[in-house]
Short mmCIF file of all heavy atoms in Angstrom, two decimals:
data_model
loop_
_atom_site.label_atom_id
_atom_site.label_comp_id
_atom_site.label_asym_id
_atom_site.label_seq_id
_atom_site.Cartn_x
_atom_site.Cartn_y
_atom_site.Cartn_z
N ALA A 1 104.86 113.90 116.06
CA ALA A 1 105.51 114.75 117.06
C ALA A 1 104.45 115.53 117.84
O ALA A 1 103.34 115.77 117.34
CB ALA A 1 106.46 115.73 116.37
N ASP A 2 104.79 115.92 119.07
CA ASP A 2 103.88 116.71 119.90
C ASP A 2 103.50 118.00 119.19
O ASP A 2 104.30 118.58 118.44
CB ASP A 2 104.55 117.09 121.22
CG ASP A 2 104.87 115.87 122.09
OD1 ASP A 2 104.44 114.75 121.75
OD2 ASP A 2 105.54 116.06 123.12
N ILE A 3 102.28 118.45 119.44
CA ILE A 3 101.81 119.75 118.95
C ILE A 3 101.29 120.54 120.14
O ILE A 3 101.08 120.00 121.22
CB ILE A 3 100.72 119.61 117.86
CG1 ILE A 3 99.49 118.85 118.38
CG2 ILE A 3 101.28 118.97 116.61
CD1 ILE A 3 98.31 118.82 117.41
N THR A 4 101.09 121.84 119.95
CA THR A 4 100.57 122.70 121.00
C THR A 4 99.10 122.99 120.71
O THR A 4 98.71 123.13 119.54
CB THR A 4 101.37 124.02 121.04
OG1 THR A 4 102.74 123.70 121.28
CG2 THR A 4 100.87 124.95 122.12
N TYR A 5 98.29 123.08 121.76
CA TYR A 5 96.87 123.39 121.61
C TYR A 5 96.72 124.61 120.71
O TYR A 5 97.42 125.60 120.87
CB TYR A 5 96.22 123.66 122.97
CG TYR A 5 94.79 124.10 122.85
CD1 TYR A 5 93.80 123.20 122.52
CD2 TYR A 5 94.44 125.43 123.01
CE1 TYR A 5 92.48 123.60 122.37
CE2 TYR A 5 93.12 125.85 122.88
CZ TYR A 5 92.15 124.93 122.55
OH TYR A 5 90.86 125.33 122.39
N GLY A 6 95.81 124.51 119.78
CA GLY A 6 95.58 125.58 118.80
C GLY A 6 96.11 125.19 117.43
O GLY A 6 95.68 125.75 116.43
N THR A 7 97.05 124.22 117.38
CA THR A 7 97.57 123.76 116.09
C THR A 7 96.52 122.86 115.46
O THR A 7 96.04 121.91 116.07
CB THR A 7 98.87 122.95 116.29
OG1 THR A 7 99.83 123.78 116.95
CG2 THR A 7 99.43 122.46 114.97
N LEU A 8 96.15 123.16 114.23
CA LEU A 8 95.17 122.35 113.52
C LEU A 8 95.85 121.14 112.88
O LEU A 8 96.98 121.26 112.39
CB LEU A 8 94.46 123.17 112.44
CG LEU A 8 93.75 124.44 112.94
CD1 LEU A 8 93.09 125.17 111.77
CD2 LEU A 8 92.72 124.12 114.01
N LEU A 9 95.18 120.00 112.91
CA LEU A 9 95.74 118.80 112.27
C LEU A 9 95.93 119.04 110.78
O LEU A 9 95.08 119.67 110.14
CB LEU A 9 94.82 117.60 112.48
CG LEU A 9 94.72 117.05 113.89
CD1 LEU A 9 93.70 115.90 113.95
CD2 LEU A 9 96.07 116.57 114.40
N SER A 10 97.04 118.54 110.26
CA SER A 10 97.35 118.72 108.83
C SER A 10 98.09 117.48 108.34
O SER A 10 98.24 116.49 109.06
CB SER A 10 98.23 119.96 108.64
OG SER A 10 99.53 119.73 109.19
N GLY A 11 98.58 117.55 107.12
CA GLY A 11 99.35 116.46 106.54
C GLY A 11 100.63 116.16 107.30
O GLY A 11 101.21 115.10 107.14
N THR A 12 101.05 117.09 108.15
CA THR A 12 102.23 116.83 108.98
C THR A 12 101.94 115.71 109.97
O THR A 12 102.80 114.87 110.23
CB THR A 12 102.64 118.11 109.74
OG1 THR A 12 102.89 119.13 108.78
CG2 THR A 12 103.88 117.88 110.58
N GLN A 13 100.74 115.67 110.51
CA GLN A 13 100.36 114.62 111.45
C GLN A 13 99.63 113.47 110.74
O GLN A 13 99.80 112.30 111.10
CB GLN A 13 99.42 115.16 112.55
CG GLN A 13 100.04 116.21 113.44
CD GLN A 13 100.02 117.60 112.80
OE1 GLN A 13 99.13 117.96 112.05
NE2 GLN A 13 101.06 118.38 113.09
N LEU A 14 98.83 113.80 109.76
CA LEU A 14 98.00 112.82 109.04
C LEU A 14 98.74 112.38 107.79
O LEU A 14 98.41 112.77 106.67
CB LEU A 14 96.63 113.42 108.71
CG LEU A 14 95.89 114.04 109.90
CD1 LEU A 14 94.58 114.66 109.45
CD2 LEU A 14 95.65 113.02 111.01
N ASN A 15 99.78 111.55 107.98
CA ASN A 15 100.70 111.22 106.89
C ASN A 15 100.94 109.72 106.75
O ASN A 15 102.06 109.27 106.47
CB ASN A 15 102.03 111.94 107.10
CG ASN A 15 102.69 111.57 108.41
OD1 ASN A 15 102.12 110.85 109.24
ND2 ASN A 15 103.89 112.05 108.63
N ALA A 16 99.90 108.92 106.91
CA ALA A 16 100.03 107.46 106.78
C ALA A 16 100.36 107.09 105.34
O ALA A 16 100.03 107.81 104.39
CB ALA A 16 98.74 106.77 107.22
N SER A 17 101.00 105.93 105.17
CA SER A 17 101.28 105.37 103.84
C SER A 17 101.07 103.86 103.91
O SER A 17 100.92 103.30 104.99
CB SER A 17 102.72 105.70 103.41
OG SER A 17 103.64 105.09 104.31
N VAL A 18 101.03 103.24 102.73
CA VAL A 18 100.81 101.80 102.65
C VAL A 18 102.06 101.14 102.09
O VAL A 18 102.64 101.62 101.11
CB VAL A 18 99.59 101.48 101.75
CG1 VAL A 18 99.42 100.00 101.57
CG2 VAL A 18 98.34 102.08 102.34
N VAL A 19 102.46 100.05 102.73
CA VAL A 19 103.61 99.29 102.26
C VAL A 19 103.34 98.83 100.83
O VAL A 19 102.26 98.33 100.53
CB VAL A 19 103.88 98.07 103.17
CG1 VAL A 19 104.98 97.20 102.59
CG2 VAL A 19 104.25 98.53 104.57
N GLY A 20 104.29 99.02 99.95
CA GLY A 20 104.16 98.59 98.56
C GLY A 20 103.50 99.62 97.67
O GLY A 20 103.35 99.39 96.48
N GLY A 21 103.09 100.76 98.23
CA GLY A 21 102.52 101.82 97.41
C GLY A 21 101.20 101.47 96.75
O GLY A 21 100.87 101.99 95.68
N LEU A 22 100.41 100.60 97.36
CA LEU A 22 99.12 100.20 96.83
C LEU A 22 98.22 101.43 96.64
O LEU A 22 98.17 102.30 97.49
CB LEU A 22 98.47 99.21 97.81
CG LEU A 22 97.14 98.59 97.44
CD1 LEU A 22 97.29 97.72 96.19
CD2 LEU A 22 96.63 97.75 98.59
N ALA A 23 97.52 101.48 95.51
CA ALA A 23 96.63 102.61 95.23
C ALA A 23 95.38 102.54 96.11
O ALA A 23 94.87 101.45 96.38
CB ALA A 23 96.25 102.63 93.76
N GLY A 24 94.90 103.69 96.54
CA GLY A 24 93.70 103.75 97.35
C GLY A 24 93.58 105.09 98.03
O GLY A 24 94.31 106.03 97.70
N SER A 25 92.67 105.18 98.98
CA SER A 25 92.44 106.44 99.67
C SER A 25 92.48 106.24 101.19
O SER A 25 92.17 105.17 101.69
CB SER A 25 91.09 107.03 99.27
OG SER A 25 90.04 106.15 99.63
N PHE A 26 92.88 107.32 101.89
CA PHE A 26 92.97 107.32 103.34
C PHE A 26 91.83 108.17 103.90
O PHE A 26 91.56 109.26 103.40
CB PHE A 26 94.30 107.91 103.81
CG PHE A 26 95.49 107.06 103.46
CD1 PHE A 26 96.21 107.29 102.30
CD2 PHE A 26 95.89 106.03 104.29
CE1 PHE A 26 97.32 106.52 101.99
CE2 PHE A 26 96.98 105.25 103.99
CZ PHE A 26 97.70 105.49 102.83
N VAL A 27 91.19 107.67 104.94
CA VAL A 27 90.15 108.42 105.63
C VAL A 27 90.60 108.54 107.09
O VAL A 27 90.75 107.54 107.78
CB VAL A 27 88.78 107.71 105.55
CG1 VAL A 27 87.74 108.51 106.34
CG2 VAL A 27 88.35 107.52 104.10
N TYR A 28 90.85 109.79 107.52
CA TYR A 28 91.36 110.05 108.87
C TYR A 28 90.23 110.45 109.81
O TYR A 28 89.26 111.10 109.41
CB TYR A 28 92.40 111.18 108.84
CG TYR A 28 93.66 110.79 108.12
CD1 TYR A 28 93.84 111.11 106.78
CD2 TYR A 28 94.68 110.11 108.79
CE1 TYR A 28 95.01 110.75 106.12
CE2 TYR A 28 95.84 109.76 108.14
CZ TYR A 28 96.00 110.08 106.80
OH TYR A 28 97.15 109.73 106.15
N ASN A 29 90.41 110.10 111.07
CA ASN A 29 89.49 110.52 112.12
C ASN A 29 90.32 110.87 113.35
O ASN A 29 91.00 109.99 113.85
CB ASN A 29 88.49 109.42 112.45
CG ASN A 29 87.44 109.89 113.44
OD1 ASN A 29 87.20 111.08 113.57
ND2 ASN A 29 86.86 108.97 114.18
N PRO A 30 90.30 112.13 113.78
CA PRO A 30 89.62 113.28 113.22
C PRO A 30 90.28 113.74 111.92
O PRO A 30 91.41 113.37 111.63
CB PRO A 30 89.73 114.33 114.31
CG PRO A 30 90.85 113.90 115.18
CD PRO A 30 91.01 112.44 115.02
N VAL A 31 89.58 114.57 111.20
CA VAL A 31 90.01 115.02 109.87
C VAL A 31 90.99 116.19 109.96
O VAL A 31 91.11 116.83 111.01
CB VAL A 31 88.79 115.42 109.00
CG1 VAL A 31 87.88 114.23 108.79
CG2 VAL A 31 88.03 116.58 109.63
N ALA A 32 91.65 116.48 108.86
CA ALA A 32 92.54 117.64 108.77
C ALA A 32 91.74 118.90 109.10
O ALA A 32 90.57 119.01 108.74
CB ALA A 32 93.14 117.73 107.37
N GLY A 33 92.38 119.82 109.79
CA GLY A 33 91.72 121.06 110.19
C GLY A 33 91.10 121.01 111.57
O GLY A 33 90.59 122.01 112.06
N THR A 34 91.17 119.84 112.22
CA THR A 34 90.61 119.70 113.57
C THR A 34 91.58 120.24 114.61
O THR A 34 92.78 120.01 114.51
CB THR A 34 90.30 118.21 113.87
OG1 THR A 34 89.36 117.72 112.92
CG2 THR A 34 89.75 118.03 115.27
N ARG A 35 91.05 120.95 115.61
CA ARG A 35 91.86 121.41 116.75
C ARG A 35 91.55 120.47 117.92
O ARG A 35 90.42 120.39 118.38
CB ARG A 35 91.51 122.85 117.12
CG ARG A 35 92.34 123.36 118.31
CD ARG A 35 92.04 124.78 118.67
NE ARG A 35 90.65 124.92 119.04
CZ ARG A 35 89.99 126.07 119.02
NH1 ARG A 35 90.58 127.17 118.62
NH2 ARG A 35 88.73 126.11 119.38
N LEU A 36 92.58 119.78 118.40
CA LEU A 36 92.42 118.82 119.49
C LEU A 36 92.66 119.49 120.84
O LEU A 36 93.48 120.40 120.94
CB LEU A 36 93.42 117.66 119.34
CG LEU A 36 93.30 116.83 118.06
CD1 LEU A 36 94.46 115.84 117.98
CD2 LEU A 36 91.97 116.08 118.04
N ASP A 37 91.98 119.01 121.88
CA ASP A 37 92.23 119.48 123.23
C ASP A 37 93.59 118.98 123.71
O ASP A 37 94.11 117.98 123.19
CB ASP A 37 91.16 118.97 124.20
CG ASP A 37 89.86 119.75 124.08
OD1 ASP A 37 89.89 120.92 123.66
OD2 ASP A 37 88.80 119.17 124.42
#
């Protein structure tokens, strides 16, 4: 969903999942805590 400038990226936006629940790790770019223009 749209966010307003000043909102830091969090699990609300960075919430990918894998079909079948395969174990592993997610690496996001940009990372949580980033403020986007």
Side-chain angles (χ1 to χ4, degrees):
D2 295 352
I3 59 174
T4 301
Y5 175 74
T7 302
L8 302 180
L9 290 177
S10 69
T12 302
Q13 297 81 33
L14 308 178
N15 60 354
S17 62
V18 175
V19 173
L22 183 64
S25 62
F26 293 94
V27 178
Y28 292 95
N29 186 23
V31 298
T34 300
R35 180 179 61 202
L36 299 173
D37 283 335

